[in-house]
Amino acid sequence: MRRPQDTEDTLSAVRRLRPKPPLSGIPKIPDSKVGQLLKLLDRSGVPQELEDLLRNRPGPPGVRPRVVLAGLLLSAYYTGRASAADAWRLLHYGLEPRARTWLDIPERPPAGAAARIASSKRLYRGLNAITTVLDPARHDRRSRLPQRHADFHAALWGSPEGRNAAAHLQLLANRLVLASVRMADQRGYLRGWNGDVGVDATDIRVSARPDSRRLATASTEVTAGWHFKGGTGEKVFGYSATLAIAAHHRAPGNDTSGAYPQLCLGFELDTPTVRTGPNAVTILTQITQLGLPTGILAADRAYTGCSPSNFQTPVRRLGYRLALDYKVKERGLQGNWQGAPLVDGSLLCPLTPAPLIHATADADDDTVRFRSDALREKIEAREPHHLKLKQGPDARGAIRLQCPASGPSPSVNCTRRDRLRPRTPAPTAMPSRVIDLSLLLPRTLPAAARPTVHVPDAERLAPPHADTLPQVCCAGSITVPADAEADWRLAKYRQDVHYLHTAWLNTYRPIRSHNEGANGRFKSGTLDIGNPKHRPAPGQVAQTLLLAVMLTVANLTILETWLTEHTGPDELTDADFNATGPLPPLGTPRIALPKADNGRHPPPHSR
């Protein structure tokens, strides 16, 4: 006969059960969808890599990483939340018999409180094993640590071993997102994309409270911080997620709006305002490794303020062209290179009139955003004075520019250039090649229609030697390096689209709007990456993996919406997932991963 105390203990166990027993609303997931997500997951290579990391690990094995990640993908796809509780419900109560065999799920759902508790603990233990093996600073994340202890664990993330472990974590997480990008590319859905990318950081709020000065205790999220939103001044406690979004710029006669799905091309989760430039470079490097095109990269002032060695130089060496914005004190004359003044990111003729050089100096943001007619006229008057591109970037990102008065199509008249490098008369003989008159050829303005550069009176009366003049005026072309070894201002501020020109407005604004639109889409609706309740597992490692799962599902949703709008099927088919080829090898981390932690038991209640 059961005693009343035994009955009460059983009821208490049921009340404490996490997750709660399903009552209603559990969807029945078709085998086809489970098979598609499993194929995408397997092609990413993440489950196999985690299996290798967890091999020979002591303690109960828990659920395999493949099952854990598959459950999280199903949870995010059908509920909008990447939580272990929803994953457990769907795996045990939403799968058909055939799909259960693929994931080694028992044929019948667990019956009774004890069976449910045991099965859910196995799933939680499997997730805990994944986060533990990838964590460079393991500790108890269920209670607040003293501030000095938390600072010690946070500092481990900045050590060489910790940065290597964090890089390996991000590499694994991004492979989930890139698997969906590779699928879209191989199916031809990215044919209309020209390689333009928008990079921006968005806040990822967490449920944990910030540090307490009164109690001298730290937040349970020891690596989180305050993310300040640009323009509003609002601050959010959590992490910053750097997102790279497929975008495009407006060009005359080239409307690519809607020609491709605006996917998330990768992300990087980190402490706010830390490693802003390197995080973007990491994402772009992984994109280029897939063989995707490289176009224009637009970024806000946070990236302009980065050290050139951390952002501008490596981005140019990857093949991207930059479209940047500047703070008030950074506008106008920014430096010079071989006699050519650097004005608003572009190199100009040394004899450019001073009113044009200083047109944007000390102009406030309202004046720049809402360009007046007077400012527009000065910006357009600069156009003939810009140095002309003679040769595109080489392997190191260096370009060659030439004087605007040189070449077959000069844009200005210059007596100094004519004196130093007289033009060779055109040959009178017939051309040796056939010219197709139907092609659009560049037209050279007559000399009377071009602006004339005003040479100083002293130079006209007593022409100086070429050695005393700027090199850009004397040489056929000059080399502009991408790195900061020669001049850090040149590497930091130079961009490939003339600032505030109509072409810049048609480039920077659309790409930035695509960034903001993607952030709004990812943070609204059922799948809301900004809602901390949708990713409840604590710790930067768990948050990174859960965010990767949610962004992967977001990409699949974007693809399905795009296909529907283009008279395609309502959802992705088996043919789409079958086209997902294997991703490039994971590669070897820059620094050997720490080995001492693999055989050590985790601390009590760690997760």
Side-chain angles (χ1 to χ4, degrees):
M1 182 178 180
R2 175 175 295 181
R3 296 178 301 175
Q5 184 63 35
D6 296 338
T7 304
E8 182 63 26
D9 292 343
T10 302
L11 293 176
S12 298
V14 172
R15 283 194 294 267
R16 294 194 306 268
L17 178 62
R18 293 292 186 272
K20 295 291 185 182
L23 300 177
S24 61
I26 302 298
K28 286 298 181 182
I29 303 175
D31 293 342
S32 60
K33 182 56 64 178
V34 178
Q36 291 173 355
L37 294 179
L38 283 178
K39 183 163 292 185
L40 187 72
L41 184 62
D42 293 336
R43 292 286 177 86
S44 70
V46 177
Q48 296 84 347
E49 177 72 11
L50 292 176
E51 290 280 359
D52 295 338
L53 292 175
L54 293 172
R55 188 172 292 115
N56 300 325
R57 180 180 173 83
V63 178
R64 295 179 57 191
R66 182 172 183 262
V67 181
V68 175
L69 295 177
L72 292 174
L73 280 172
L74 291 171
S75 173
Y77 191 88
Y78 284 97
T79 69
R81 301 182 296 272
S83 68
D86 292 311
W88 174 79
R89 293 189 183 100
L90 294 177
L91 288 175
H92 289 274
Y93 293 89
L95 297 185
E96 299 293 344
R98 186 182 179 189
R100 290 174 176 271
T101 61
W102 297 340
L103 295 170
D104 296 329
I105 302 296
E107 183 179 356
R108 296 180 180 277
R116 286 194 290 267
I117 291 174
S119 63
S120 64
K121 281 187 174 181
R122 284 193 292 270
L123 183 65
Y124 278 103
R125 195 158 53 239
L127 178 59
N128 178 58
I130 295 173
T131 57
T132 300
V133 77
L134 295 174
D135 198 336
R138 299 189 299 174
H139 64 278
D140 186 1
R141 300 190 183 277
R142 294 183 179 272
S143 60
R144 299 168 70 99
L145 297 175
Q147 189 65 59
R148 65 181 185 278
H149 294 170
D151 292 342
F152 170 77
H153 288 288
L156 292 178
W157 282 81
S159 65
E161 294 80 7
R163 293 315 311 155
N164 180 57
H168 191 251
L169 165 67
Q170 277 296 157
L171 181 61
L172 286 174
N174 258 327
R175 290 180 71 83
L176 284 176
V177 181
L178 291 176
S180 58
V181 177
R182 169 60 66 90
M183 178 182 68
D185 181 42
Q186 293 184 344
R187 288 292 287 169
Y189 300 148
L190 297 179
R191 282 194 299 262
W193 178 53
N194 58 10
D196 293 348
V197 177
V199 174
D200 194 15
T202 185
D203 63 281
I204 301 297
R205 190 188 303 266
V206 296
S207 300
R209 295 182 179 180
D211 302 343
S212 174
R213 293 184 178 180
R214 183 177 63 87
L215 301 176
T217 56
S219 172
T220 54
E221 298 281 353
V222 297
T223 55
W226 290 103
H227 178 101
F228 291 87
K229 297 184 178 181
T232 63
E234 179 186 355
K235 63 178 183 178
V236 175
F237 184 75
Y239 298 98
S240 290
T242 303
L243 303 181
I245 306 298
H248 65 272
H249 66 279
R250 290 194 297 265
N254 183 23
D255 184 13
T256 58
S257 178
Y260 64 95
Q262 292 183 352
L263 301 177
C264 174
L265 304 174
F267 81 103
E268 190 95 3
L269 191 73
D270 207 342
T271 306
T273 68
V274 176
R275 292 175 286 272
T276 301
N279 288 340
V281 173
T282 299
I283 302 171
L284 298 173
T285 301
Q286 295 174 1
I287 295 174
T288 56
Q289 288 175 349
L290 294 183
L292 297 175
T294 56
I296 298 176
L297 174 71
D300 60 13
R301 303 171 192 172
Y303 295 89
T304 309
C306 293
S307 173
S309 60
N310 291 335
F311 179 69
Q312 290 90 336
T313 297
V315 167
R316 290 190 180 102
R317 289 179 177 175
L318 289 174
Y320 288 95
R321 292 170 291 159
L322 290 176
L324 305 172
D325 193 10
Y326 304 112
K327 298 179 181 179
V328 174
K329 295 182 179 180
E330 296 173 339
R331 300 190 183 115
L333 182 62
Q334 299 164 329
N336 68 85
W337 177 247
Q338 297 186 4
L342 179 66
V343 180
D344 289 330
S346 299
L347 290 172
L348 272 66
C349 169
L351 298 176
T352 302
L356 300 183
I357 292 179
H358 302 288
T360 59
D362 299 327
D364 57 19
D365 293 337
D366 291 337
T367 303
V368 170
R369 291 193 181 97
F370 306 100
R371 192 180 57 170
S372 63
D373 292 339
L375 180 59
R376 177 184 57 81
E377 292 177 358
K378 291 182 179 179
I379 295 298
E380 292 179 353
R382 283 179 180 175
E383 180 66 22
H385 300 274
H386 286 123
L387 300 190
K388 299 186 299 182
L389 180 66
K390 184 176 183 180
Q391 185 176 355
D394 56 15
R396 294 183 56 84
I399 61 174
R400 295 188 66 81
L401 301 178
Q402 61 181 354
C403 170
S406 63
S409 302
S411 56
V412 295
N413 300 320
C414 181
T415 56
R416 174 190 290 178
R417 184 71 183 186
D418 294 338
R419 176 178 65 84
L420 295 175
R421 299 182 68 87
R423 294 182 177 276
T424 303
T428 57
M430 294 295 293
S432 59
R433 60 187 178 92
V434 178
I435 299 177
D436 189 354
L437 298 179
S438 64
L439 297 177
L440 293 177
L441 300 177
R443 296 188 177 183
T444 303
L445 291 175
R450 297 193 296 261
T452 300
V453 174
H454 295 285
V455 179
D457 295 337
E459 181 175 343
R460 291 201 306 269
L461 297 176
H465 193 271
D467 295 339
T468 63
L469 295 175
Q471 186 174 355
V472 66
C473 300
C474 307
S477 62
I478 60 173
T479 300
V480 182
D483 52 38
E485 295 178 357
D487 188 277
W488 71 271
R489 291 181 176 273
L490 180 71
K492 182 181 181 68
Y493 295 120
R494 183 173 66 85
Q495 59 176 308
D496 298 278
V497 188
H498 301 318
Y499 185 60
L500 293 182
H501 195 272
T502 303
W504 185 90
L505 298 177
N506 291 336
T507 299
Y508 185 82
R509 289 179 177 178
I511 296 179
R512 291 288 299 146
S513 67
H514 297 157
N515 259 120
E516 298 298 334
N519 291 343
R521 184 171 186 173
F522 294 154
K523 291 186 174 182
S524 62
T526 304
L527 187 71
D528 183 1
I529 67 173
N531 190 344
K533 295 182 179 180
H534 288 187
R535 29 178 184 78
Q540 184 173 340
V541 177
Q543 291 290 299
T544 300
L545 293 176
L546 298 183
L547 186 60
V549 169
M550 299 182 74
L551 289 175
T552 302
V553 173
N555 274 353
L556 297 179
T557 305
I558 291 173
L559 280 172
E560 291 176 345
T561 304
W562 184 80
L563 288 173
T564 303
E565 294 173 350
H566 287 72
T567 66
D570 294 337
E571 60 181 14
L572 296 169
T573 62
D574 292 342
D576 295 318
F577 289 89
N578 291 334
T580 307
L583 293 170
L586 282 171
T588 304
R590 293 187 295 271
I591 308 174
L593 286 170
K595 300 179 180 179
D597 292 343
N598 292 339
R600 178 165 56 88
H601 289 282
H605 307 296
S606 65
R607 191 171 178 185

